[in-house]
Amino acid sequence: MTSKLAPLSASKVKISVRPENERNQPIKNEDLIFGKDFTNHMLTVNWDNKQGWHAPEIKPYGNLSLDPSTCVFHYAFELFEGLKAYKSLKNEKDIIMFRPDKNMERMNKSSDRICLPTFESEELIKLIEELIKLDKDMIPKGKGYSLYIRPTMIGTSEGLGVHTPDKAMIFVICSPVGPYYKTGFKAVSLEATDYATRAWPGGVGDKKLGANYAPCIKPQLEAAKRGHQQNLWLFGPNKNITEVGTMNVFFALKNSQTGKKELVTAPLDGTILEGVTRDSVLALCRENLDPAEWEVNERYLSIDEVKERAAKGELIEAFGSGTAAVVSPIKNISYQSEDISVPLQEGKQSGKLTEDVMKWISDIQYGITEKANWTKVF
Ligand SMILES: *Cc1c(COP(=O)(O)O)cnc(C)c1O
């Protein structure tokens, strides 16, 4: 039925550039604030259920104009992605995108879940490349610096009826960003949260829908009142650990009898966002860690197990993972008003594995080491 609709096609793109004298100039590295400034151009592609995907447009960054009855404003027909482009530290001229195919795959799963149109992943990647090349002078250089890319899709049907949108739009905006932690790592304190639930079985916690995020701010403010930066989201009667804030979460544990170590993260059971960083951490740890010493497991881990193992000295370290920070070390978890202290290296703000994982991933992102099929260089 959908086969008559036009596919998304990068070759149909219409480009209109912002006049040279009206352009924002590149921002100094030290002045970058996450998600505050944007490049000079954006990408938009409209879709409707008669024609399919229209010709993509790359044009000066600017406001969207939408009727107040548009369905995105009322029923949250919105989903997004987050990925980055890096200036290679090896070949000055190269721009590197990290695993964009994974983001496109996830974006299509999100759109399908809320009855928005799917699209040809390769074509959107080509369009994002075009967009980035046009503003390449605004990609900051240096370790920790990158261009954050925010592909978004919204339903643009007008009217208050609740139904499948007959119109939609993809837009992509880009923001030059600096390191998440300006002066190396800064380990965070978490509040284990069981009174509010981020995601549940049969829900949409595994999709990057805007509707998942607004309800998580209030619990974060509650945690902040008690001195903690983020929520450690628990789920179910066993109080299994799911995610931290808007990141996936990893725990390193040691069996004091056998000496064997284990890296654990929650399994993808529909309540966990399928992080590209999570997948990368798992793959690199399975490749780089000695299996005689380490096991890498996707399994349920309850907060009570963490508490017990910490008391026995078996908790080695813990970190969150996501595109913005890559990894974010954890130093403390408050659970039922008691603190579980997470070890850090002597005089440092992270564990050893956290540090290694950061290096393995960022070396690939900045072109220092190569990993087949994980980067798109242009
Ligand atoms: C985006 C996101 C992540 C991390 O995904 P990455 O692809 O690694 O950036 C984890 N959890 C939630 C809830 C997210 O929204």
Side-chain angles (χ1 to χ4, degrees):
M1 196 186 86
T2 53
S3 62
K4 287 195 201 84
L5 296 179
L8 179 62
S9 167
S11 62
K12 291 188 193 154
V13 66
K14 293 185 262 180
I15 301 178
S16 62
V17 299
R18 178 174 277 175
E20 207 72 58
N21 60 350
E22 287 172 23
R23 288 194 197 173
N24 296 323
Q25 294 307 305
I27 298 154
K28 288 204 209 83
N29 278 4
E30 59 270 29
D31 296 336
L32 292 169
I33 296 170
F34 183 85
K36 181 179 167 287
D37 294 293
F38 295 91
T39 56
N40 283 297
H41 298 88
M42 65 181 190
L43 169 75
T44 63
V45 199
N46 286 303
W47 175 91
D48 69 60
N49 67 357
K50 307 240 154 35
Q51 199 188 322
W53 290 104
H54 299 197
E57 287 182 74
I58 290 175
K59 57 192 178 190
Y61 184 96
N63 292 352
L64 301 174
S65 175
L66 295 168
D67 187 279
S69 75
T70 304
C71 67
V72 60
F73 299 133
H74 302 274
Y75 310 123
F77 285 98
E78 194 267 1
L79 59 100
F80 64 96
E81 272 303 323
L83 69 161
K84 285 175 168 179
Y86 308 81
K87 279 256 167 87
S88 168
L89 293 179
K90 209 170 186 180
N91 305 309
E92 267 277 304
K93 293 215 165 58
D94 286 352
I95 301 166
I96 301 170
M97 271 200 277
F98 184 71
R99 309 188 76 186
D101 51 322
K102 297 289 283 181
N103 295 88
M104 296 299 109
E105 190 188 322
R106 188 169 71 189
M107 190 168 174
N108 269 311
K109 285 190 200 167
S110 298
S111 56
D112 179 66
R113 180 63 185 81
I114 56 171
C115 299
L116 287 174
T118 55
F119 59 89
E120 289 63 27
S121 295
E122 268 304 313
E123 298 299 303
L124 190 55
I125 293 174
K126 281 187 217 159
L127 288 161
I128 291 173
E129 261 184 57
E130 285 297 311
L131 176 67
I132 292 174
K133 277 195 217 149
L134 201 56
D135 285 323
K136 66 174 187 299
D137 295 345
M138 287 191 81
I139 309 177
K141 285 193 204 86
K143 198 127 204 193
Y145 292 88
S146 59
L147 188 72
Y148 184 81
I149 306 162
R150 171 49 62 86
T152 312
M153 195 189 307
I154 56 175
T156 52
S157 287
E158 288 141 24
L160 297 179
V162 185
H163 50 68
T164 305
D166 52 22
K167 293 197 292 177
M169 175 197 270
I170 289 176
F171 64 87
V172 182
I173 56 176
C174 302
S175 173
V177 296
Y180 204 75
Y181 302 105
K182 285 237 153 61
T183 50
F185 283 124
K186 179 112 182 60
V188 295
S189 177
L190 312 178
E191 182 171 80
T193 306
D194 56 7
Y195 68 89
T197 306
R198 193 198 79 87
W200 45 87
V204 290
D206 60 340
K207 307 292 187 299
K208 239 172 158 64
L209 308 183
N212 285 334
Y213 297 83
C216 292
I217 304 299
K218 202 163 183 178
Q220 192 189 349
L221 294 180
E222 290 294 322
K225 272 190 211 160
R226 294 182 279 270
H228 309 289
Q229 283 82 29
Q230 283 294 350
N231 304 93
L232 182 66
W233 300 108
L234 306 180
F235 181 79
N238 296 334
K239 300 191 193 297
N240 288 331
I241 294 169
T242 61
E243 299 203 46
V244 51
T246 58
M247 299 177 104
N248 297 112
V249 67
F250 288 82
F251 285 82
L253 303 160
K254 175 177 71 190
N255 183 323
S256 43
Q257 246 102 68
T258 63
K260 189 133 183 184
K261 295 186 269 188
E262 184 192 16
L263 181 67
V264 189
T265 195
L268 300 178
D269 64 359
T271 67
I272 305 294
L273 199 288
E274 300 179 11
V276 178
T277 318
R278 175 191 178 279
D279 186 79
S280 308
V281 171
L282 286 172
L284 291 170
C285 285
R286 283 175 176 141
E287 255 175 61
N288 294 343
L289 296 176
D290 179 359
E293 203 184 332
W294 282 94
E295 261 184 51
V296 178
N297 291 325
E298 295 164 70
R299 69 161 174 95
Y300 291 113
L301 174 65
S302 71
I303 187 72
D304 291 307
E305 180 179 341
V306 169
K307 187 179 162 180
E308 276 164 35
R309 309 269 314 252
K312 287 199 272 178
E314 294 191 338
L315 176 60
I316 310 174
E317 59 188 278
F319 60 89
S321 77
T323 295
V326 185
V327 288
S328 171
I330 296 163
K331 65 177 178 191
N332 182 71
I333 301 167
S334 164
Y335 173 49
Q336 295 173 339
S337 307
E338 274 180 52
D339 284 323
I340 304 169
S341 166
V342 185
L344 300 171
Q345 296 173 96
E346 183 82 37
K348 285 196 182 181
Q349 284 288 305
S350 91
K352 175 69 169 70
L353 181 63
T354 310
E355 203 173 77
D356 288 346
V357 166
M358 179 67 170
K359 182 166 164 52
W360 296 336
I361 295 184
S362 61
D363 279 356
I364 298 168
Q365 291 170 332
Y366 288 96
I368 296 164
T369 52
E370 276 175 32
K371 176 122 178 91
N373 306 320
W374 274 23
T375 53
K376 177 110 178 118
V377 184
F378 54 98

